[in-house]
Amino acid sequence: CCMAGFIARWNFSIICIIINLPCIHPPFPDATGYVGFANLPNQVHRKSVKKGFEFTLMVVGESGLGKSTLINSLFLTDLYPERYIPGAAEKIERTVQIEASTVEIEERGVKLRLTVVDTPGYGDAINSQDCFKTIIQYIDNQFERYLHDESGLNRRHIVDNRVHCCFYFISPFGHGLKPLDVEFMKAIHSKVNIVPVIAKADTLTLRERDRLKRRILDEIAEHGIKIYQLPDADSDEDEEFKEQTRVLKASIPFAVIGSNQLIEVKGKKIRGRLYPWGVVEVENPEHNDFLKLRTMLVTHMQDLQEVTQDLHYENFRSERLKRAGRAVDEDVVDKDQILLQKEAEVRTHNTHMHTYTNSFSLCAKMCLC
C-alpha cells in the first residue's frame, strides 16, 4: 500500500510536469513536524474582525476647553450634531450630567463601537465640592451592570459599557492643577485609566508648554495620583516601535489642539486654526501633541481594555464580593443571636413554670392538711 501510494504521488507529479501545471499536493501535508496550530492567530483575527470591537472613552473637564471639538477631530466624526450650549446664567445652577453617545466606526473592514461619555456641567457651579459624585456613580454603575451580566445565565452577548479610558482636560490658563483637578483624579484613579490632557495648547508658547507639563507631573507625583502608564516595549519589538513608545511616554501630559475647520495652505487642505500671525495645524507634531494622543489611544486601546478588566474591574468585583460576604456573615450572626435569645426566653419560661408548679403544689398540700 505504501509503495502504491508513493507511485501514485510520483505519477501525479510527472503528469503535472508534462502538461506544464504547478505540482499541487493534497491539502493535508504529511511533512514531518507540521501540526497546523500556526494558523490559530488567523482564526482569532477572523473572529475578532467579525465580532467587532467595543471601547468607551470618558471626557471630563471644565466647559470651554474644547472637549467636543477634540473628540470630533480624533475620530473624524460629528458626535454632537444638535447639541444645546447653555448660557452663563444657566451654568451657575447647572448640575453635572452624563451624556453617552455611541457611534459605529468602520475602517478597512474592522468595526469599532465607540461610546463617548461627556460630562457637561463639571466645574461650572460656584460650589464644585460634590460635582464629581455623579461621575463616580456612573463608573460604578457600569461595573455593577457588567458584574450582573457576567453572573447571569446568558453570557454570550455581554455588552461592555465599562469606561476604559478618561481624558481629563486641564486648563492652560492656570499654573498647574487646581484643587478640583487633584480631588477628582484622586477619587477616580483606582476606577479608570486617567490620561491628562492640556487643552488649547495654541495659547501657550513652547517654553510655557514644557514648563506647565513639568509642573503638572510634579503635582501628580506629589499628591500620589495614579495616571495611565504606557507599557514598555518588548525586547523583540522593532526599533521604530520602541522609539514611538519612548516619545509617547515623554509627551505626557499631551498638549493638544482641536479643530473641525478645513483650511487651505499651499494648495492643500488641512485641519487647523487660522490666526492673523499664521496657521496652527492640528496634525502637525511640531505644533501640538494631537497625533501622539491619537497614536497612543489607537496603539494601546487593547492594553487600556486589559488594565480595565484585570485591575480596575477586579478591584471593584473583589470589593463587591467582600461586601456581599460581610452581609451574609452579619445575617448569620443575627440569626444566631435570635436563636440564642429564643432559647434564653424558653429557659426563663420553663423556670417560671417550674416555680409556679412547685408553689401550686405546696399550696395544695397545705390546704389538705
Side-chain angles (χ1 to χ4, degrees), residues 78-95:
D78 188 8
L79 289 174
Y80 314 100
E82 300 178 356
R83 187 169 187 176
Y84 171 72
I85 301 178
E90 297 179 56
K91 289 182 180 180
I92 296 177
E93 301 295 334
R94 193 180 186 188
T95 58

Side-chain angles (χ1 to χ4, degrees), residues 350-368:
N350 291 336
T351 303
H352 289 166
M353 289 298 295
H354 183 68
T355 304
Y356 177 77
T357 303
N358 292 338
S359 300
F360 181 77
S361 300
L362 183 61
C363 291
K365 289 179 181 180
M366 291 177 65
C367 290
L368 291 173

Side-chain angles (χ1 to χ4, degrees), residues 16 18 24 40 77 89 112 125 135 162 190 200 256-257 285 295 308 315 335 346 367:
C16 291
I18 292 174
I24 303 174
L40 288 176
T77 185
L112 173 65
I135 302 173
R162 296 172 298 178
S190 61
K200 296 188 173 182
V256 298
I257 304 167
T295 301
T308 300
N315 290 339
K335 291 178 181 179
V346 169
C367 290

Side-chain angles (χ1 to χ4, degrees), residues 57-61 67 71 80 116-119 165-167 169:
L57 173 66
M58 174 177 280
V59 288
V60 182
K67 302 186 296 296
I71 296 302
Y80 314 100
V116 177
V117 182
D118 201 355
T119 56
C165 181
C166 175
F167 284 174
F169 286 72

Side-chain angles (χ1 to χ4, degrees), residues 5 9 14 34 38 70 83 98 124 128 131 146 213 249 281 297 301 322 354 359:
R9 285 198 300 270
I14 292 297
Y34 180 83
L70 179 67
R83 187 169 187 176
I98 302 294
D124 291 345
S128 301
C131 68
Y146 190 86
K213 283 189 174 186
K249 286 185 175 183
E281 301 179 18
L297 184 63
M301 186 174 288
K322 285 180 182 178
H354 183 68
S359 300

Side-chain angles (χ1 to χ4, degrees), residues 173-191:
F173 308 119
H175 299 283
L177 297 177
K178 299 179 181 179
L180 179 61
D181 302 333
V182 175
E183 292 300 322
F184 175 76
M185 287 194 284
K186 287 176 66 175
I188 71 164
H189 67 172
S190 61
K191 300 177 181 292

